[in-house]
Amino acid sequence: MKLKQKIKRKALKHAQMLLIAIAIAGISLVEFIDELAYQRLKQAHYTESMNALAMFRSELEQRLTRSTQSGLALATFFSVNPAPKLSDARLVSAEIIKRHPAIEQIRINTKQGEAFVYPVVTFYNDQIPRLQLSSWADQVDLAMGLSREKIEKPSYHSDGYLGLRIKSPIYSSFYLYQGYFWGELNLQLNLSRTLERVRRIVDAKNFDFALTHSDNPPLIESRFYGSDNTILNHDAKLTVQFYGTRWSLFGLNNNPLPAGISAHPVRVIGYPLLAVLLLLLWLLIRSYRKIRSSAFTDALTGLPNRRLLIDRMQQLINARQQAFSVLFIDLNKFKPINDTYGHQVGDEFLVHVAKTLSGACRKGDTVARVGGDEFVVLLPGNEGDVTVVRDKLELTLEQNPLHWNGIQLDISSSIGVAQFPVNGSSADELLKLADNEMYKYKKSRADMR
């Protein structure tokens, strides 16, 4: 019985290890799929942010480029017409501003000083410095320094809007003028108006944008549009470029990634399914163990049956151990007990005999029930006199009768002995041989009576 319990514990341990392995594999699989799903969700969130940011950048670059190009075209007007009529200059400027509302003001400075402003409003509290040229060398140096457009850093105007000043030199080859440098064009762009129009066109209501004029830390100090939070927690970043100017554009998606259960739907579905699977496997293993136990054990006494007895004998043969002995126990006068007291008492009698035999045998011995009132005891490695063990079992059975309802039912048995060397024969053959020995033993006992 102890060996049987050991085998059961070992099988149970293997089943538990299998379930643990399946649980670990299932958890790993669920977490892997969940991570893939979450990464795809993050990728979709990032793609949405990048699309909104790309649309914002494209529209902003186009508007700034077109406005700057059109404003700088006025430099060509003064280059070919150094002394235009004031009305003509205003008409051209008005048309440019009409077509490009981002332009807030146009200002022309010549060598002699301020020549033209449209519209005539003061957009800086301080006056724009005029050109102070005292010599031809100063003119040449200034012309070389202003050989292309210069875009200053965005700053807030006194009227409250975000402005951007663009300067461009004006050259003239008109023969009446000494030298090629004629003056300077100043454009003032209204970035606040431009950015609001860009936001309306992009229609990115769930996004916040921020602009900095430098990529070098600290970014917060170089911010001229948006909030610090957008820069610090941005989802995507792009570079805005026009006329050699580079700004950093940051975007923050206000549609947050799902959190909690909604962020991990695979776990919500996967873990309950895994739990159901483990439960079904556990029930299947329990059913298998019960079926296997019923196939190898006697249903009434719980002892190993003939099949399990043969299996254990075969294990001894395969292990090439020393010789083993088999004791055949046949209960005498069992049929009268069944006939007199009924089968229920007969069953209790057999269970009592099984417990008595199991208690009298060693830990490594196998006590099996192979027939109605027939028991077998397998004694592995028994080098001593087997008859001593037989006599002990007979005495133990005689001294432990069954007491039922005040009636004492004595146990009388016939025990035969068979010893076998490990010679390669199969367990089934040896058991048949032992059956023959038992038959001869029982016949000799009957003849003696």
Side-chain angles (χ1 to χ4, degrees):
M1 290 296 291
K2 293 182 180 179
L3 182 61
K4 176 183 175 182
Q5 293 176 356
K6 182 178 179 181
I7 294 174
K8 285 185 177 181
R9 286 195 299 268
K10 187 175 181 180
L12 182 60
K13 183 178 180 181
H14 289 165
Q16 291 174 344
M17 292 177 63
L18 176 62
L19 288 177
I20 291 174
I22 294 175
I24 294 174
I27 292 173
S28 301
L29 180 61
V30 170
E31 289 296 322
F32 176 74
I33 298 176
D34 181 78
E35 182 63 22
L36 287 181
Y38 188 69
Q39 290 300 326
R40 292 191 64 178
L41 191 64
K42 289 178 62 177
Q43 183 63 35
H45 188 268
Y46 174 75
T47 302
E48 182 184 9
S49 301
M50 284 297 296
N51 290 340
L53 206 63
M55 292 176 62
F56 190 94
R57 179 186 68 173
S58 176
E59 189 65 28
L60 180 61
E61 287 180 343
Q62 290 180 31
R63 286 183 171 273
L64 290 177
T65 300
R66 288 198 299 263
S67 298
T68 304
Q69 285 178 344
S70 299
L72 295 178
L74 191 60
T76 305
F77 174 80
F78 284 97
S79 177
V80 300
N81 191 7
K85 292 181 180 180
L86 188 60
S87 59
D88 292 341
R90 287 179 176 175
L91 287 174
V92 174
S93 300
E95 186 64 24
I96 291 175
I97 292 179
K98 178 182 177 181
R99 292 177 179 272
H100 302 280
I103 300 176
E104 189 73 20
Q105 191 180 61
I106 300 172
R107 185 184 292 262
I108 302 296
N109 291 333
T110 66
K111 293 184 295 182
Q112 289 74 28
E114 187 178 89
F116 175 77
V117 176
Y118 186 87
V120 184
V121 294
T122 302
F123 63 97
Y124 275 98
N125 290 332
D126 58 329
Q127 294 183 350
I128 298 177
R130 299 180 179 182
L131 300 175
Q132 302 294 334
L133 305 175
S134 58
S135 65
W136 175 253
D138 292 337
Q139 296 178 17
V140 174
D141 291 341
L142 182 59
M144 292 178 65
L146 298 175
S147 60
R148 58 182 179 180
E149 298 80 11
K150 179 182 178 182
I151 301 177
E152 298 182 352
K153 294 178 181 180
S155 60
Y156 278 90
H157 187 263
S158 58
D159 292 340
Y161 67 84
L162 181 64
L164 177 66
R165 184 187 294 181
I166 303 173
K167 295 181 179 181
S168 177
I170 301 175
Y171 296 91
S172 175
S173 58
F174 197 70
Y175 68 92
L176 293 177
Y177 291 85
Q178 296 180 356
Y180 293 96
F181 182 74
W182 182 84
E184 182 185 51
L185 169 67
N186 280 276
L187 292 178
Q188 177 73 8
L189 301 185
N190 191 324
L191 273 180
S192 297
R193 185 186 303 138
T194 303
L195 290 169
E196 286 303 315
R197 291 193 177 187
V198 170
R199 284 193 66 93
R200 287 198 299 268
I201 293 173
V202 174
D203 193 23
K205 298 178 181 179
N206 295 322
F207 287 85
D208 290 332
F209 301 97
L211 285 164
T212 63
H213 56 72
S214 174
D215 274 339
N216 298 324
L219 291 173
I220 302 301
E221 282 74 0
S222 65
R223 175 184 59 81
F224 60 87
Y225 175 73
S227 65
D228 295 345
N229 180 63
T230 303
I231 297 176
L232 296 175
N233 301 305
H234 66 275
D235 297 312
K237 175 185 175 184
L238 291 175
T239 301
V240 177
Q241 301 184 66
F242 73 102
Y243 278 92
T245 300
R246 295 170 64 90
W247 295 340
S248 295
L249 175 63
F250 300 87
L252 176 62
N253 192 341
N254 290 323
N255 291 325
L257 282 170
I261 295 178
S262 58
H264 303 282
V266 177
R267 292 179 180 175
V268 176
I269 299 174
Y271 283 129
L273 290 179
L274 179 61
V276 171
L277 176 62
L278 293 175
L279 178 61
L280 292 176
L281 286 175
W282 175 248
L283 294 177
L284 180 63
I285 291 173
R286 285 190 60 187
S287 300
Y288 170 75
R289 289 179 61 225
K290 288 182 179 180
I291 295 173
R292 191 176 185 277
S293 177
S294 62
F296 287 94
T297 58
D298 178 58
L300 177 62
T301 62
L303 294 177
N305 58 14
R306 182 184 182 91
R307 181 180 299 177
L308 184 55
L309 177 66
I310 293 176
D311 181 72
R312 293 184 179 176
M313 290 177 65
Q314 191 64 51
Q315 290 179 15
L316 293 175
I317 294 173
N318 295 338
R320 297 289 178 181
Q321 293 183 358
Q322 54 193 351
F324 57 89
S325 304
V326 178
L327 301 181
F328 290 87
I329 304 171
D330 182 42
L331 300 180
N332 301 324
K333 301 178 181 179
F334 174 69
K335 189 175 181 301
I337 294 176
N338 260 340
D339 295 340
T340 304
Y341 303 104
H343 291 284
Q344 182 178 358
V345 178
D347 292 343
E348 292 184 17
F349 185 79
L350 292 175
V351 171
H352 177 73
V353 171
K355 291 180 179 179
T356 304
L357 289 174
S358 299
C361 291
R362 300 173 303 178
K363 182 178 179 180
D365 298 339
T366 299
V367 180
R369 182 187 176 207
V370 296
D373 59 348
E374 295 180 357
F375 295 84
V376 174
V377 178
L378 176 63
L379 306 173
N382 189 8
E383 299 177 354
D385 191 355
V386 183
T387 57
V388 176
V389 179
R390 181 192 64 187
D391 295 341
K392 176 186 175 182
L393 291 180
E394 285 183 346
L395 181 61
T396 301
L397 291 174
E398 290 177 0
Q399 292 178 349
N400 290 276
L402 173 65
H403 297 276
W404 178 78
N405 289 341
I407 300 175
Q408 178 175 312
L409 300 177
D410 296 325
I411 303 175
S412 175
S413 62
S414 300
I415 301 178
V417 178
Q419 289 182 296
F420 304 99
V422 179
N423 55 8
S425 301
S426 67
D428 193 51
E429 293 174 351
L430 295 180
L431 196 57
K432 289 180 179 178
L433 182 59
D435 283 340
N436 292 333
E437 294 294 330
M438 184 61 187
Y439 173 74
K440 294 178 181 178
Y441 173 75
K442 289 169 67 176
K443 189 173 183 303
S444 64
R445 289 285 297 266
D447 292 341
M448 290 176 62
R449 292 176 188 159

